[in-house]
């Protein structure tokens, strides 16, 4: 289970010191909107510095090449996905590992996987992930497009609830898996934590999701970005107790994610949730869904879970571990 850790005034060995505020420079405020903007600008500058290292430049090159490919595919991603009413199991085109999963664990192979994109995006971002999941033997991989004009995470989560119920009714599976990129992961998390979605979502995987907010959101004066700002009322709501939540969480976050600042805000920390946080090194925000280790990790995890969320084989890292 996830737990917050830290040193506070009551921690053994700590010493409480009286804080003496430093004098503010003339014309500069130490709090309020000006301080918030300066903090954000400093965070952006720090993120830029990380990109200018050899490690960062390789990540930038991959992000640029995938970004160009994704832009070319974007118009096709706007088309509504046609639901498949009948998903017949067949072994044609599957490698031995995928055949083994389809034959040996029909439930894992058939459990629907719902993919939810990020802000102002569409299902094209999952082109690589979807293809590789199907090659692995997962037969029901479904993408959801929500409106690019979405301006409220809570409303989007309610719409997601309806989409999940439709998928459950159509496939006959009472619980599904969800993979959400960026804002999509946050919408799914709110649905699970606050709208009873843990009854339907077995495992939620988030990719580059601002679980604690992102500082650049403070620079855009719209409702959605106010919600995504660190310390907002929205995040205060997500921090409230969630006892008995049945969903298992895996949060992939990157040390080069240019959209999530500070980068550690891509981690999911909540004392009532079973979470495994996974660091992805050298990948930009758009590149996380195509990273080979991420794709392999998702397919391995979702292929090795029993109904209560525990792993079936010792070789697979349990969700509650690896923090």
């Amino acid at each position: 289970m996830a737990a917050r850790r830290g040193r506070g005034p009551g921690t053994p060995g700590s010493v409480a010191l009286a804080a003496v505020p430093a004098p503010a420079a003339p014309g500069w405020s130490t709090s309020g909107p000006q301080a918030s903007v300066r903090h954000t600008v400093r965070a952006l500058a720090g993120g830029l510095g990380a990109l200018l290292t050899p490690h960062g430049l390789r990540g930038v090159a991959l992000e640029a090449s995938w970004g160009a490919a994704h832009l070319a595919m974007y118009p096709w991603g706007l088309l509504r996905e046609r639901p498949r009413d009948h998903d017949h199991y067949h072994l044609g085109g599957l490698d031995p590992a995928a055949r083994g999963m389809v034959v040996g664990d029909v439930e894992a192979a058939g459990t629907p996987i719902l993919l939810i994109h990020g802000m102002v995006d569409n299902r094209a971002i999952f082109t690589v992930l979807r293809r590789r999941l199907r090659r692995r033997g997962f037969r029901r991989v479904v993408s959801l497009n929500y409106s690019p004009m979405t301006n409220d995470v809570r409303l989007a989560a309610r719409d997601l609830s309806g989409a999940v119920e439709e998928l459950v009714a159509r496939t006959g599976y009472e619980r599904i898996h969800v993979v959400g990129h960026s804002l999509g992961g946050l919408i799914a998390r709110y649905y699970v934590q606050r709208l009873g979605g843990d009854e339907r979502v077995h495992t939620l995987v988030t990719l580059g999701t601002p679980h604690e907010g992102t500082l650049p959101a403070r620079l855009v004066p719209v409702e959605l970005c106010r919600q995504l700002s660190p310390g907002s009322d929205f995040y205060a709501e997500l921090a409230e107790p969630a006892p008995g939540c049945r969903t298992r969480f895996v949060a992939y976050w990157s040390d080069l994610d240019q959209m999530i600042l500070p980068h550690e805000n891509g981690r999911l920390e909540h004392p009532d949730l079973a979470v495994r946080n996974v660091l992805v090194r050298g990948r930009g925000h758009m590149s996380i869904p195509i990273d080979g280790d991420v794709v392999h990790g998702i397919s391995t995890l979702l292929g090795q879970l029993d109904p209560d969320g525990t792993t079936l084989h010792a070789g697979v890292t349990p969700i509650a571990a690896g923090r």
Side-chain angles (χ1 to χ4, degrees), residues 154 157-159 161 189-198:
R154 296 179 178 93
R158 294 188 182 97
D159 291 341
S161 176
R189 179 187 169 189
Y190 188 88
Y191 163 61
V192 165
Q193 273 190 247
R194 307 298 299 173
L195 302 180
D198 62 313

Side-chain angles (χ1 to χ4, degrees), residues 18-314:
V20 179
W28 290 88
S29 172
T30 57
S31 62
Q34 286 185 333
S36 176
V37 171
R38 292 202 305 275
H39 185 199
T40 303
V41 171
R42 285 197 296 268
L44 291 171
L48 180 61
L51 293 175
L52 297 179
T53 64
H55 168 75
L57 291 174
R58 286 192 295 270
V60 169
L62 176 62
E63 182 84 345
S65 59
W66 168 239
H70 177 50
L71 185 62
M73 294 183 291
Y74 190 92
W76 282 268
L78 293 171
L79 300 176
R80 183 180 177 86
E81 185 176 59
R82 291 184 300 176
R84 300 185 178 192
D85 295 325
H86 303 285
D87 245 325
H88 300 287
Y89 290 95
H90 58 84
L91 303 181
L94 301 181
D95 60 27
R99 290 190 186 118
M101 188 178 78
V102 172
V103 173
D105 194 342
V106 174
E107 182 176 0
T111 299
I113 302 173
L114 180 61
L115 309 177
I116 309 174
H117 62 78
M119 187 188 303
V120 197
D121 206 345
N122 61 46
R123 60 191 181 91
I125 190 67
F126 294 117
T127 299
V128 174
L129 176 60
R130 177 183 177 128
R131 182 170 64 246
R132 292 184 183 177
L133 285 173
R134 293 188 67 86
R135 284 181 179 175
R136 183 66 183 262
F138 297 99
R139 310 314 297 161
R140 292 187 174 99
V141 185
V142 181
S143 303
L144 172 68
N145 273 1
Y146 59 89
S147 171
M149 304 304 292
T150 295
N151 198 36
D152 189 313
V153 178
R154 296 179 178 93
L155 291 179
R158 294 188 182 97
D159 291 341
L160 172 61
S161 176
V164 170
E165 292 302 321
E166 179 183 349
L167 180 60
V168 166
R170 176 159 51 88
T171 62
Y173 279 77
E174 293 185 356
R175 303 191 78 194
I176 69 171
H177 303 308
V178 176
V179 179
H181 177 236
S182 190
L183 180 63
L186 197 61
I187 293 171
R189 179 187 169 189
Y190 188 88
Y191 163 61
V192 165
Q193 273 190 247
R194 307 298 299 173
L195 302 180
D198 62 313
E199 294 184 1
R200 293 300 191 198
V201 179
H202 182 296
T203 306
L204 171 57
V205 180
T206 66
L207 311 173
T209 291
H211 286 294
E212 296 292 336
T214 179
L215 289 173
R218 293 178 173 174
L219 303 178
V220 184
V222 298
E223 175 60 25
L224 179 60
C225 289
R226 280 191 285 270
Q227 293 179 355
L228 299 181
S229 297
S232 69
D233 292 342
F234 174 79
Y235 285 109
E237 183 180 353
L238 283 180
E240 292 178 5
C245 182
R246 299 173 60 194
T247 299
R248 269 56 180 174
F249 297 81
V250 180
Y252 286 91
W253 63 285
S254 172
D255 59 352
L256 285 181
D257 192 328
Q258 70 275 23
M259 300 301 294
I260 311 299
L261 296 173
H263 300 310
E264 291 77 10
N265 282 10
R267 294 172 55 90
L268 173 51
E269 305 283 356
H270 193 291
D272 293 333
L273 304 180
V275 184
R276 176 152 57 95
N277 289 294
V278 182
L279 172 61
V280 183
R281 297 190 181 277
R283 293 293 178 264
H285 189 69
M286 302 296 290
S287 305
I288 298 175
I290 67 168
D291 180 79
D293 290 338
V294 171
V295 174
H296 176 74
I298 293 173
S299 59
T300 300
L301 177 71
L302 299 186
Q304 301 291 348
L305 290 178
D306 69 8
D308 71 357
T310 57
T311 50
L312 293 173
H313 300 287

